[in-house]
Amino acid sequence: MVKICSFSKWSIIKKMTGKKAIMVLGPPGSGKGTQAKLIAEKLDFFHFITSSIGKDYIASHDDPETKKQMENYKKGLLYDPSWLMRVLKEKTEEVLRNNKGIVYDGSPRTLPEAKFLYKLLSNLIGKKNILIIEINVGDEELKKRLAKRLICSKNSSHVFIRSEKLKPGDPCPEGDGVLSERDLDKPELFETRLAEYRNRTLPGLDFLKKMHPVITINGEQTIEEVQNDISEALQTFIAV
Ligand SMILES: [Zn+2]
């Protein structure tokens, strides 16, 4: 029953015309990557993983500003906003030319980035085609989750919870890479990432909340429940 219901909600959303952009925001470990991937699959939108887009950009560009960014990434710090804006603009324009929609996973992560991306998208597709989702998870739950998280060596959106059946070194259940604990999830880096989220990402989210309706979802539920809440909220929001 639940499946049929949520499937039909997605089909209604899919029938909407006009290019759309969806931003999915939340702290590290909130499941925003998993949710962004599922939304992109359900709607046939481009899944814009900012960290991967950034890495590809680094691999194909040689200027000093670009080179500096890899060091930031390895330390668990964010890309420099000015550099990232250049990447966001180039890639967003390209993606929107070739796709009917885009789901951002990992953007915006700072206040300047939020202002920039919001203005860029308002100009490209109009405010009414921008959807912003916030996934809320408390700190204690985040710590518990990250301690148990395994990630695929081939695809960073393949994230699994460690269990009796899934251990580091096992093949990825999606059939491509090998699972391991992610360096970025180690406690000392996690604290850095959480502090970066509070100090740099939340001001961006506060800015967006002043400019635009933001859909807030309770992230302390199963993946399916969160998906269902998102599809319901999107449907209501789009229908308005
Ligand atoms: Zn995989």
Side-chain angles (χ1 to χ4, degrees):
M1 277 303 266
V2 174
K3 270 197 174 155
I4 293 162
C5 193
S6 77
F7 175 75
S8 66
K9 269 173 211 137
W10 287 108
S11 359
I12 290 164
I13 298 163
K14 239 177 135 170
K15 283 186 192 129
M16 297 304 299
T17 53
K19 305 222 174 194
K20 305 241 178 278
I22 302 176
M23 301 179 200
V24 185
L25 289 110
S30 60
K32 64 180 183 311
T34 304
Q35 295 299 332
K37 177 175 177 270
L38 289 168
I39 296 167
E41 281 170 7
K42 293 245 164 79
L43 298 176
D44 280 333
F45 282 11
F46 183 88
H47 183 196
F48 193 108
I49 307 171
T50 304
S51 58
S52 312
I53 301 267
K55 264 192 257 176
D56 291 349
Y57 197 94
I58 288 166
S60 57
H61 292 73
D62 230 3
D63 58 288
E65 210 201 339
T66 298
K67 279 188 174 166
K68 208 180 110 195
Q69 307 306 320
M70 204 27 140
E71 299 308 311
N72 284 359
Y73 183 77
K74 282 182 194 152
K75 286 180 213 151
L77 300 173
L78 305 180
Y79 294 133
D80 286 340
S82 62
W83 176 83
L84 189 57
M85 284 173 203
R86 165 179 144 194
V87 178
L88 277 177
K89 183 171 188 297
E90 283 179 29
K91 289 292 164 185
T92 294
E93 286 171 350
E94 184 187 316
V95 166
L96 284 173
R97 268 197 299 277
N98 304 319
N99 296 271
K100 56 183 181 174
I102 186 165
V103 184
Y104 291 95
D105 175 354
S107 275
R109 274 200 174 153
T110 61
L111 176 60
E113 196 186 328
K115 287 181 174 170
F116 179 83
L117 188 61
Y118 189 69
K119 194 175 171 205
L120 178 72
L121 291 170
S122 301
N123 291 336
L124 287 171
I125 57 173
K127 287 188 169 57
K128 70 173 170 47
N129 290 311
I130 302 172
L131 300 154
I132 306 169
I133 297 167
E134 174 193 17
I135 301 180
N136 259 344
V137 178
D139 288 2
E140 283 314 303
E141 175 69 17
L142 289 178
K143 279 181 196 162
K144 262 191 258 166
R145 285 187 188 186
L146 288 172
K148 292 192 292 190
R149 194 148 91 147
L150 295 173
I151 193 151
C152 171
S153 58
K154 289 276 163 67
N155 185 329
S156 62
S157 69
H158 294 166
V159 177
F160 301 91
I161 298 297
R162 183 200 285 259
S163 67
E164 299 232 320
K165 288 183 201 147
L166 280 183
K167 302 178 300 297
D170 284 353
C172 172
E174 301 278 343
D176 45 6
V178 175
L179 297 179
S180 67
E181 289 161 309
R182 199 163 71 146
D183 285 347
L184 288 172
D185 290 345
K186 287 179 180 157
E188 58 280 15
L189 274 174
F190 174 68
E191 290 300 332
T192 308
R193 291 168 73 213
L194 203 57
E196 289 259 294
Y197 180 76
R198 285 205 194 92
N199 299 334
R200 299 181 70 188
T201 306
L202 280 183
L205 183 57
D206 289 342
F207 162 79
L208 291 171
K209 283 179 175 171
K210 280 185 207 130
M211 304 297 290
H212 203 87
V214 172
I215 299 162
T216 301
I217 302 288
N218 171 17
E220 295 194 17
Q221 312 181 81
T222 65
I223 291 173
E224 292 74 22
E225 285 165 342
V226 173
Q227 269 290 283
N228 202 47
D229 282 3
I230 291 175
S231 70
E232 232 161 79
L234 285 183
Q235 191 197 25
T236 314
F237 181 83
I238 288 174
V240 168

